Amino acid sequence: LHYHSSSLNVLGLLEPQAHLDAAAQAAVAKANAQIGNGFDNRVFWDLRYRHFRERGSGIGSRGGNLLLKRQLLREQGVEAACSVLDVGCGDLEVIKDLAIVNYLGIDQSSETLEIAQLARPDWRFKLAPAADVPAAEMVICFEVLIHQETEEAYRALIDFLAQKTIGSLLVSGYAADHDSIQKNPMLFFYEPLQTSLRRTGHFRAIRRIGADTRVAVYRCDV
């Protein structure tokens, strides 16, 4: 196969913008199966932010979803929090215009952290994993759990979020499994997020406060 950047879709899979004969279709399908089986989040996001910055963090932080999240963050008091830890901060499209004083964003993509630092030079950022970051009054983690490639990584991240929350956690994930997850190499489901959050034993209250496409958003108070 020979292809150019325009043939890579938003999932990092090959989607040539041309008519393909049966042999070419079979070759593309085989290549996409290999990409899916060997999918690596860090490689994917570094590639995306290096070569496709206009795609940003995806539909979860663009258009109506962006406005919904920004309004939700304001309603939940993120601007009044003494400290904010944003796990999987991405390119800051959702949060960069909010009046947050003590903000720390972490992300596994060095490329996206460069974009974030340019957007808010007054905020602090660290490359994940960042186990030594301090706990915060409010912790945010939007559309990160759904990309955890193993159940161990999924549970480790939930434990990390619980440990770093001294006030409230705003987190999104899947409330139930659905067929489209199986067709997307960068999405994973292990159990309903509310079940996972309860298992930590860290939160006195867990309530669903919104939804973004098929992703549920929960507020968890310690």
Side-chain angles (χ1 to χ4, degrees):
L1 291 173
H2 174 90
Y3 61 90
H4 297 269
S5 295
S6 59
S7 293
L8 287 172
N9 67 19
V10 294
L11 304 180
L13 300 176
L14 292 175
E15 192 177 301
Q17 304 302 303
H19 175 73
L20 302 179
D21 61 20
Q25 290 177 22
V28 168
K30 184 175 181 179
N32 282 337
Q34 292 176 338
I35 292 172
N37 290 336
F39 188 85
D40 183 288
N41 264 305
R42 188 183 300 272
V43 171
F44 172 81
W45 290 110
D46 274 341
L47 174 75
R48 180 153 161 158
Y49 281 111
R50 186 177 299 125
H51 298 291
F52 305 97
R53 288 195 174 188
E54 73 283 357
R55 296 180 179 180
S57 301
I59 61 172
S61 60
R62 295 294 186 272
N65 287 330
L66 182 152
L67 297 176
L68 183 150
K69 285 180 180 172
R70 190 175 290 165
Q71 179 181 351
L72 194 63
L73 287 167
R74 284 196 169 111
E75 290 173 351
Q76 297 302 314
V78 69
E79 292 177 304
C82 295
S83 57
V84 174
L85 173 62
D86 191 354
V87 180
C89 61
D91 58 4
L92 294 190
E93 278 302 302
V94 170
I95 204 169
K96 66 183 180 183
D97 292 331
L98 300 185
I100 301 171
V101 177
N102 186 9
Y103 173 96
L104 173 59
I106 65 175
D107 201 286
Q108 65 177 355
S109 170
S110 58
E111 295 286 334
T112 193
L113 290 183
E114 290 181 11
I115 299 171
Q117 191 71 77
L118 288 172
R120 287 298 300 251
D122 55 323
W123 286 355
R124 295 178 297 132
F125 301 92
K126 290 196 70 171
L127 185 65
D132 59 340
V133 297
E137 180 181 358
M138 183 166 284
V139 176
I140 305 165
C141 186
F142 286 159
E143 271 85 301
V144 179
L145 285 165
I146 63 174
H147 294 303
Q148 299 309 298
E149 296 157 8
T150 66
E151 184 173 355
E152 291 76 17
Y154 169 82
R155 297 198 183 284
L157 179 54
I158 289 176
D159 288 341
F160 175 82
L161 296 173
Q163 292 166 10
K164 298 302 178 180
T165 303
I166 56 177
S168 300
L169 166 66
L170 303 180
V171 59
S172 68
Y174 292 123
D177 197 3
H178 51 85
D179 292 342
S180 62
I181 298 173
Q182 308 305 321
K183 302 173 184 176
N184 189 327
M186 61 189 299
L187 297 180
F188 305 89
F189 176 82
Y190 302 105
E191 68 180 4
L193 178 54
Q194 194 169 18
T195 301
S196 305
L197 294 166
R198 284 201 192 100
R199 186 177 282 117
T200 67
H202 188 70
F203 304 106
R204 63 173 175 79
I206 299 171
R207 58 190 177 92
R208 183 167 173 165
I209 57 173
D212 167 10
T213 314
R214 291 187 173 179
V215 180
V217 183
Y218 294 91
R219 177 180 176 128
C220 312
D221 298 311
V222 301

